[in-house]
Amino acid sequence: MKTNLIIVLLLLVLTSGCSSLGSLPPTGADVLVANDAEGDAKSGIYEISQTFPRLERETAFTAARAGLVHADFEVVKIDKENEVVFGERAVTAFYWDFAAGIYIKELPDGVWIKLMVDGDAKRKKFARDIFAGIRLFVAAELENQINPQ
């Protein structure tokens, strides 16, 4: 009986530190377009946002997926109607799990992308990795538009 109780308590402690997609806004409508920024939000979620002039909405969704893959996240959901792409990174021997939401807002001349990552102290590193993948994809896409092969 004591062993079962210890196992249950251990599982509760281990899972209580885990992130989930439920900690992130469910749709792009819940995220307000603001100035480009980077940093910790009050809720302990790390955020990065940037405007991408001349980028099309469809390309932004592909870039969001590429950013998640670049940072070894699993793409969980792409919801174009609700302007969001979700990804997760599972618990490993070195990291707790992480949840990422990428919100895409169409502007008159481009798109605004906001990334929110929930997780432990490494959330800043993973947010920057994801956004680096987004920027790489966007740079290659815009270069291809300027100089088609």
Side-chain angles (χ1 to χ4, degrees), residues 71-74 87-92 95-100 126:
D72 294 325
F73 273 65
E74 177 185 347
E88 290 182 318
R89 185 178 172 114
V91 176
T92 69
Y95 303 113
W96 288 101
D97 68 331
F98 291 83
F126 287 122

Side-chain angles (χ1 to χ4, degrees), residues 10-88:
L10 181 61
L11 287 173
L12 284 173
V13 168
L14 288 175
T15 58
S16 66
C18 296
S19 308
S20 74
L21 295 175
S23 63
L24 300 172
T27 70
D30 300 312
V31 176
L32 299 176
V33 176
N35 294 332
D36 296 354
E38 179 174 347
D40 273 313
K42 291 179 183 175
S43 59
I45 294 172
Y46 198 82
E47 301 178 353
I48 302 174
S49 60
Q50 182 177 340
T51 302
F52 293 91
R54 300 185 330 267
L55 190 67
E56 295 176 0
R57 183 176 183 272
E58 281 300 312
T59 306
F61 279 96
T62 307
R65 183 186 178 291
L68 289 168
V69 170
H70 178 80
D72 294 325
F73 273 65
E74 177 185 347
V75 178
V76 175
K77 182 178 184 181
I78 298 174
D79 186 348
K80 293 178 183 177
E81 184 177 320
N82 287 307
E83 307 172 308
V84 66
V85 177
F86 287 117
E88 290 182 318

